[in-house]
Amino acid sequence: MYEAKSNPICLIPVNFTLFSHLNKSAADNILFLFTNARSTQYAPGDTGPALVSLLKQIKERPPHVDILYNKQTIYCFDNEAFRFAVASAPPNNMIFDDLLTRDYEVSWMGSVRECDRLMERIISLKPHQVMETLSLNNAKQSILLLTQPLADIAKNISDNVKACEQHKKKVSEFKGNITEFEKELYVPWKDIESDPLNEPKTVCNEGNCIVKETINGTVKIHYKTDCHSPCYLTHSDGNVMGNVGLLDCIAFNKYESIGEGEWRVPTNLVPDQNVTLNAEGKAFLYYLERTKSDNCFKCGHSFQSHLHIKYETRIVNKKIRDEKKYKSINTAKEAAAAKQAQIVELEARIKELTDENTTISICMAKFACFLSNNALTPFNDAFEGYVKDAGKLSGGDSKVTIDKLQQMLDRYKYEKDAILAAMKKGKKNESAVSVEDIDKLIKQLCSLKVNGPAISQLLDTQIKSKAKSHTFNEKVINTVSAATSKLSGFRVY
Ligand SMILES: [Zn+2]
Ligand SMILES: [Zn+2]
Ligand SMILES: [Zn+2]
């Protein structure tokens, strides 16, 4: 079908500009193969400038990857000589005139030369470690899955530290009788419970798109604008707010069908579609013209305020209390001892929680450095944004929580800057965070005494749901569309 068009064709994966599935070392091994190049004298023709502008975008955006585009990486072929060979050989035995035959001969020779050149180039390339990319992707996925939950947990820890401090004050200043005093002998615990949604959706976290409710002194966000629900994004990076993966959501795309639809086996689908197959495994499909936008077509806010959610969380106030320990307080002396013991317990809890938040800050800082060093895509530093957002939401005497979150962010930034500075100084290899380090850090997070079980559970469920989603998308850039406009011109099938 493509052969019918007169321009050279180069198939580019749909995520080419994002490179979310490759690491930097793969960039040197990218080659551009053009077919159908006879009409342009075995050169990329008008497709070239479209590609050059795409590569320029990648280079200009952090992490500034320079993808070689020159004679060494460009290969132009033509398939018509092959068609000629098939047509003129038995059983087809078609006869062509001399002029055409010579033309095809030249075309054949040209394509053979290009093939030889291509093979030579491939042999000369240093093999890219596919396993490296795979394990790198796994590490990246885990980090992205953990980012928002960890910010939520960090906020929750700060809330809990605050509750413990308030309760410690209450216990130490307590003046009532023994029966009333016994009721105060507990450690407060605000637990995050999550309710899975029936179907995932893309929501907005900005301004009039949310309402804040205060329940038992804790502020909860309700996302009232469903920008796309149910959302069928399968490769969006989890619940990470503002992740570029969201740009594939229908909330940021308009599709216009071109021509008549037809029943086809679905391949090269545009993202975020729910396709129903008939008995033959075919679906009714259209060719589409895609218009992308950074702002939501539904609510108008930027993709950076949006997130894809699979569950909603709520805070449950609990009391941790050892009934046996406080069963028999009869005298004032026993009460004084119990008071002291309770204060010690609360202090231990406060320290434990504060230490866990420090561990989370350090891990997140290392995660951020790992992502910015390894991915070809710029990493959206979502953690900081989430923590700040969580701080804004604190109700009541929120200053305490905000201060605690700020301390945590300071620590996070300090660690991150330290690693990045060391990397800049050229000590890249010793200071860089490796895939193995990421594994260790995740294990460390999962083994945290208070919040570890919640973190490992989160990771488990999210990894399971992720495993189901593997899609393959391709987009075709051809000169017809590339000439019209920058983004809307890319036709996606
Ligand atoms: Zn909005
Ligand atoms: Zn969507
Ligand atoms: Zn929206």
Side-chain angles (χ1 to χ4, degrees):
M1 179 177 62
Y2 298 129
E3 296 294 323
K5 295 172 188 163
S6 59
N7 287 303
I9 291 155
C10 184
L11 286 170
I12 307 282
V14 84
N15 281 340
F16 189 71
T17 47
L18 309 179
F19 272 114
S20 53
H21 300 288
L22 290 172
N23 68 1
K24 276 184 190 171
S25 75
D28 297 334
N29 291 6
I30 294 172
L31 302 175
F32 300 93
L33 312 190
F34 293 86
T35 59
N36 206 31
R38 192 164 66 109
S39 59
T40 51
Q41 304 307 318
Y42 307 97
D46 291 347
T47 312
L51 245 178
V52 168
S53 87
L54 193 70
L55 299 178
K56 196 165 153 246
Q57 282 173 34
I58 293 171
K59 194 179 169 186
E60 279 167 1
R61 247 188 269 160
H64 309 289
V65 179
D66 197 359
I67 298 165
L68 209 60
Y69 182 77
N70 59 22
K71 180 88 179 148
Q72 281 183 298
T73 58
I74 299 170
Y75 299 87
C76 298
F77 304 90
D78 197 87
N79 303 348
E80 301 223 344
F82 178 74
R83 292 165 74 185
F84 167 78
V86 172
S88 51
N92 301 315
N93 301 321
M94 283 172 74
I95 311 284
F96 293 89
D97 70 36
D98 283 355
L99 206 66
L100 264 178
T101 310
R102 215 168 310 132
D103 208 14
Y104 287 132
E105 235 176 66
V106 172
S107 160
W108 180 269
M109 299 299 286
S111 294
V112 168
R113 261 199 313 277
E114 284 295 271
C115 271
D116 288 344
R117 209 165 63 80
L118 175 67
M119 289 306 159
E120 268 167 38
R121 171 71 182 174
I122 292 173
I123 292 165
S124 77
L125 288 173
K126 191 170 155 255
H128 164 66
Q129 298 295 326
V130 179
M131 279 315 287
E132 211 174 84
T133 297
L134 284 180
S135 51
L136 190 84
N137 279 336
N138 287 342
K140 264 173 71 183
Q141 285 300 328
S142 303
I143 294 173
L144 294 171
L145 290 175
L146 280 173
T147 305
Q148 201 206 352
L150 278 181
D152 287 343
I153 288 172
K155 154 80 166 59
N156 182 252
I157 292 178
S158 302
D159 281 340
N160 273 303
V161 170
K162 187 175 84 177
C164 286
E165 280 170 351
Q166 282 169 342
H167 195 60
K168 183 185 144 194
K169 192 161 176 273
K170 195 173 175 189
V171 169
S172 55
E173 289 167 1
F174 195 81
K175 294 279 187 298
N177 65 36
I178 289 175
T179 327
E180 274 169 25
F181 176 62
E182 272 187 358
K183 285 186 199 149
E184 300 299 331
L185 294 174
Y186 66 87
V187 174
W189 176 234
K190 289 172 188 288
D191 205 3
I192 305 181
E193 290 193 355
S194 57
D195 305 313
L197 296 170
N198 288 335
E199 280 166 325
K201 55 186 178 182
T202 295
V203 294
C204 176
N205 187 29
E206 196 167 311
N208 49 0
C209 286
I210 49 167
V211 270
K212 295 171 191 173
E213 302 171 71
T214 311
I215 307 164
N216 301 328
T218 316
V219 181
K220 181 175 162 20
I221 276 196
H222 172 63
Y223 302 109
K224 66 172 182 173
T225 314
D226 288 349
C227 297
H228 185 219
S229 173
C231 179
Y232 301 102
L233 271 193
T234 43
H235 56 287
S236 136
D237 293 316
N239 289 22
V240 180
M241 184 160 62
N243 196 284
V244 283
L246 280 169
L247 287 171
D248 275 343
C249 174
I250 285 189
F252 302 95
N253 292 280
K254 265 195 183 141
Y255 294 107
E256 223 175 288
S257 48
I258 304 164
E260 301 285 304
E262 57 178 355
W263 287 95
R264 290 195 337 179
V265 176
T267 48
N268 301 340
L269 291 178
V270 296
D272 202 4
Q273 301 289 318
N274 183 31
V275 175
T276 336
L277 300 180
N278 67 6
E280 293 164 48
K282 289 181 176 176
F284 199 72
L285 301 172
Y286 294 87
Y287 287 103
L288 299 173
E289 184 89 19
R290 177 178 187 174
T291 312
K292 291 184 174 191
S293 166
D294 279 1
N295 293 324
C296 177
F297 283 112
K298 178 95 184 251
C299 75
H301 293 126
S302 158
F303 77 98
Q304 284 168 334
S305 312
H306 285 71
L307 66 164
H308 182 73
I309 56 170
K310 297 188 179 83
Y311 61 87
E312 283 184 304
T313 54
R314 94 196 118 80
I315 307 292
V316 184
N317 284 311
K318 293 180 179 170
K319 292 175 181 176
I320 306 168
R321 185 179 160 93
D322 187 346
E323 294 296 343
K324 273 183 253 149
K325 211 157 132 193
Y326 302 118
K327 219 159 59 186
S328 54
I329 300 173
N330 299 313
T331 64
K333 201 179 161 194
E334 279 167 351
K339 184 190 241 182
Q340 205 44 48
Q342 189 62 32
I343 290 169
V344 170
E345 198 182 331
L346 283 164
E347 277 170 352
R349 181 77 172 182
I350 291 166
K351 176 160 190 323
E352 205 167 59
L353 290 173
T354 310
D355 288 351
E356 290 201 356
N357 247 2
T358 308
T359 306
I360 292 176
S361 314
I362 296 171
C363 287
M364 283 314 299
K366 290 186 177 167
F367 289 167
C369 294
F370 173 81
L371 290 185
S372 69
N373 191 36
N374 284 296
L376 290 187
T377 49
F379 170 57
N380 170 28
D381 197 341
F383 186 67
E384 195 177 332
Y386 282 136
V387 174
K388 279 190 176 149
D389 259 17
K392 268 187 247 154
L393 289 173
S394 306
D397 55 314
S398 59
K399 177 136 192 356
V400 187
T401 306
I402 291 174
D403 285 350
K404 287 190 198 315
L405 286 174
Q406 193 52 52
Q407 278 168 18
M408 187 192 167
L409 271 186
D410 289 346
R411 181 65 191 250
Y412 167 73
K413 280 190 225 153
Y414 170 81
E415 293 287 337
K416 206 175 87 180
D417 291 348
I419 303 170
L420 292 177
M423 273 164 53
K424 257 199 195 131
K425 269 192 204 152
K427 295 187 230 156
K428 201 159 182 162
N429 290 334
E430 14 176 325
S431 53
V433 185
S434 69
V435 173
E436 291 76 38
D437 292 336
I438 297 298
D439 282 347
K440 276 187 218 144
L441 291 170
I442 290 175
K443 282 205 184 93
Q444 193 190 349
L445 286 170
C446 290
S447 61
L448 290 177
K449 198 177 149 205
V450 183
N451 290 287
I455 295 173
S456 58
Q457 201 199 340
L458 256 166
L459 212 54
D460 266 7
T461 46
Q462 299 227 38
I463 284 172
K464 269 181 209 144
S465 73
K466 271 263 161 183
K468 289 187 209 148
S469 55
H470 277 283
T471 49
F472 181 69
N473 302 289
E474 238 174 28
K475 74 176 166 186
V476 178
I477 299 180
N478 61 38
T479 49
V480 182
S481 53
T484 49
S485 81
K486 234 180 169 183
L487 273 177
S488 61
F490 295 152
R491 276 163 90 177
V492 180
Y493 298 101

